[in-house]
Amino acid sequence: MSPRKRRALAIAGGLGLLALAAALVLNALQSNLVFFFSPTQVVAREAPASGSFRVGGLVEQGSLRREADGLTLSFVVTDTAHTVPVSYQGLLPDLFREGKGVVVAGKLGADGVFRATEVLAKHDENYMPPEAADAIKRAGAAPAHLMREAQ
C-alpha cells in the first residue's frame, strides 16, 4: 500500500472515531436533559407523556397531605391558572412551605398525578426559580415580589 493510501485510510479512520465519539456524547447529553414546564403547559399536554421533566410554581395553600408513614406526601403545584397534583416519597427541603415557590422533577403518571423524585425549594424569602416566576407571571396572577424578579 502506498503512503498516500495509508494516510487517507488513517484520516478516514480518525474521522470515523471522532464521529462515533461525538454521537456518544450527544446521546448522553440528550438522555440527561430535563425540561421545565409550568402547570398550565402540563394541563395543555405540552409536557412529555413519558420521560422525566420538571414542573414549577407555587405550593397551593392547604394542599399538603402526609401519609401515615411520614415519608409519603402529596401537594398541589399551581401557577395560579392551573394546578398539578404531586406525589413525593422522601424528605422535603427545610425551606419547603405552602404558598412558596417549588420546582419538582419526575414523571407524570397515567392518572394525571406527577410522581416527583426530587423537590427543590426556594433559598430565601424573595427567590423563586426564574422559570417558575415566568410561568406564574404569564398566568397573570403573580405576587408583587415575583413580578419584579421576573422582569
Side-chain angles (χ1 to χ4, degrees):
M1 187 181 302
S2 71
R4 186 174 183 172
K5 286 185 179 180
R6 268 188 287 192
R7 190 176 332 129
L9 189 59
I11 290 173
L15 289 175
L17 287 174
L18 186 61
L20 178 64
L24 291 173
V25 167
L26 290 174
N27 185 37
L29 288 175
Q30 180 68 26
S31 63
N32 288 327
L33 285 178
V34 179
F35 293 102
F36 176 87
F37 294 92
S38 69
T40 297
Q41 291 172 309
V42 174
V43 170
R45 298 180 187 227
E46 294 175 22
S50 63
S52 295
F53 61 95
R54 290 183 176 178
V55 176
L58 300 173
V59 178
E60 194 170 75
Q61 289 286 351
S63 68
L64 183 61
R65 304 279 184 260
R66 293 186 187 271
E67 298 293 324
D69 65 6
L71 288 177
T72 305
L73 53 111
S74 62
F75 55 93
V76 175
V77 175
T78 183
D79 62 3
T80 68
H82 292 93
T83 61
V84 173
V86 177
S87 174
Y88 176 69
Q89 185 170 12
L91 298 174
L92 289 172
D94 290 337
L95 297 173
F96 180 89
R97 303 273 186 277
E98 290 180 338
K100 300 296 181 180
V102 68
V103 173
V104 293
K107 295 181 179 184
L108 189 63
D111 57 356
V113 176
F114 189 81
R115 308 274 192 261
T117 56
E118 182 179 20
V119 175
L120 306 169
K122 64 178 182 59
H123 71 272
D124 77 5
E125 184 62 27
N126 296 316
Y127 177 78
M128 175 180 285
E131 298 93 346
D134 288 343
I136 291 171
K137 181 181 176 184
R138 281 193 304 273
H145 73 278
L146 296 179
M147 296 294 275
R148 285 191 303 271
E149 287 176 14
Q151 294 176 348

